[in-house]
Amino acid sequence: MAETLRIYVSATRDLESERGVIGRAIAGLPVQIGAEIRRYPPEGVPYDTLFELISNVDRVYFLLGQDITAPAGSEWDLAVELERSLVPLRTARKLTPAAQHFLRSTSLLVTPTEWKMFRSEAELSITVSQDLIDYLLRRQDRFGLTVEETLRLQLARRRLQPPVGVDAAPGGSEREGIILDKRPTGDLFGET
């Protein structure tokens, strides 16, 4: 019998809207699987309830914005304590001193290169989709995936990869740069 994929999404207050990206990424998968997405309720919960919410999930997506805010730190600590599979994601925006301290304090568990940075919801969606596909492919029997579904996931994963030799970072008009004209300087204004 196929199991349900259980996800916990932890996000700092400034990334509240980005939580929805995780649900959209799951819905956008080319397979039908049972999924349950959990989060810290807006009205708050006692520690024991938070413990229960995190204790039996398959994956914890931790979204760090510009500042570390409650209860994200507690959610991180519980995920680590309970040895949950943790995916650290952070915004590319400038971090507050408190967020920088949080990153330093987690460096024994998660190296700076393991934090996946994103600049937009689109980048976050691609990163999460890639991670979900990889996770499902490693555990295809557990989720009852057929050969056809596995092939669809593999094809979707390839489509999410940037073409070889192409930098995935924004280029062109989204970044600063200089455009050089190959004409001699006198030609620029019709002079010879």
Side-chain angles (χ1 to χ4, degrees), residues 64 68 73 76-77 80 97-111 115:
L64 176 64
I68 186 71
W76 174 277
D77 290 343
V80 169
Q100 291 172 14
H101 177 73
F102 177 79
L103 282 179
R104 282 191 300 277
S105 72
T106 64
S107 64
L108 292 176
L109 301 167
V110 179
T111 64
W115 282 92

Side-chain angles (χ1 to χ4, degrees), residues 60-63 76 86-90 110 114-117:
V60 175
Y61 287 98
F62 185 88
L63 307 174
W76 174 277
L86 189 60
V87 181
L89 303 155
R90 79 176 189 90
V110 179
E114 290 177 291
W115 282 92
K116 294 173 178 62
M117 292 184 60

